[in-house]
Amino acid sequence: MLRKIVIIAAMASLAGVAAAAPLMPTFGIKAGANFSNIDVDDLDASSRTGFVGGVFCNLAWPVFNLQGELLYSQKGFNDAGFTGDETADVSVGTIQIPVLLKFALPIPAVSPSLYAGPALSFTTSATAKTATGDEDVKDFFESSVWSLVVGADVTLAGKLIVDLRYDMDLSSISTDALTNVGSDVKGRTFTVMVGFAF
């Protein structure tokens, strides 16, 4: 009887360790489109569409996942009227590193998740396009920006991923010299991506 109790206790302990330990990491790729704009007082601008894509690594637990990503993300805004009577379309290239905590529902075949987490973006390029030509304005943008990412994704058959997220800057993306409006310039981006897990 005592032996059976010891065996059952050992099996329960192993099950608990297995549940607590992460599964093997999953790697994958994803790509899609950004629809970005800025949130700043006294400056009108319209949305800009850009490319986003990169790789991810997901560590899965039974309910919660931790996912890190490395993305190239094109953001910016169009029709900004901060150059006198002339408007400009601004394109900003960034390398973004999100770290996301995901709440996964283990539903067979279709696995939805909700997630949130911080992201750090590094500015690689910035160009303002006006009627007179293109101008390099990278010096007017901060070299790094923190943002908050929230979103949802669905994994089909454990491989195909459809991802929808909202990226909200927590700090200003540019110096005041770019806009001369005396307030922070914070990006707001909707992103749609499709990915594949290996």
Side-chain angles (χ1 to χ4, degrees), residues 25-37:
T26 299
F27 298 92
I29 57 175
K30 57 175 57 178
N34 281 334
F35 304 93
S36 60
N37 206 336

Side-chain angles (χ1 to χ4, degrees), residues 7-60:
I7 292 174
I8 292 173
M11 291 177 64
S13 297
L14 289 175
V17 171
L23 304 177
M24 292 297 292
T26 299
F27 298 92
I29 57 175
K30 57 175 57 178
N34 281 334
F35 304 93
S36 60
N37 206 336
I38 52 173
D39 180 17
V40 57
D41 296 334
D42 303 321
L43 180 62
D44 293 326
S46 60
S47 177
R48 181 177 183 84
T49 302
F51 170 80
V52 58
V55 297
F56 68 87
C57 176
N58 186 279
L59 298 176

Side-chain angles (χ1 to χ4, degrees), residues 103-189:
F103 176 70
L105 300 175
I107 301 174
V110 179
S111 301
S113 299
L114 300 175
Y115 59 79
L120 179 60
S121 296
F122 298 95
T123 302
T124 60
S125 64
T127 303
K129 182 177 182 179
T130 67
T132 57
D134 295 349
E135 181 181 355
D136 186 348
V137 292
K138 182 182 176 182
D139 290 342
F140 294 113
F141 282 81
E142 300 292 349
S143 60
S144 62
V145 176
W146 285 98
S147 63
L148 174 66
V149 176
V150 295
D153 63 22
V154 175
T155 303
L156 306 174
K159 296 294 183 181
L160 182 64
I161 302 165
V162 179
D163 190 315
L164 177 64
R165 67 181 57 181
Y166 180 64
D167 185 356
M168 178 176 60
D169 288 340
L170 301 177
S171 56
S172 180
I173 63 174
S174 78
T175 64
D176 187 58
L178 177 68
T179 61
N180 295 318
V181 294
S183 58
D184 289 342
V185 179
K186 296 181 179 179
R188 301 288 186 262
T189 306

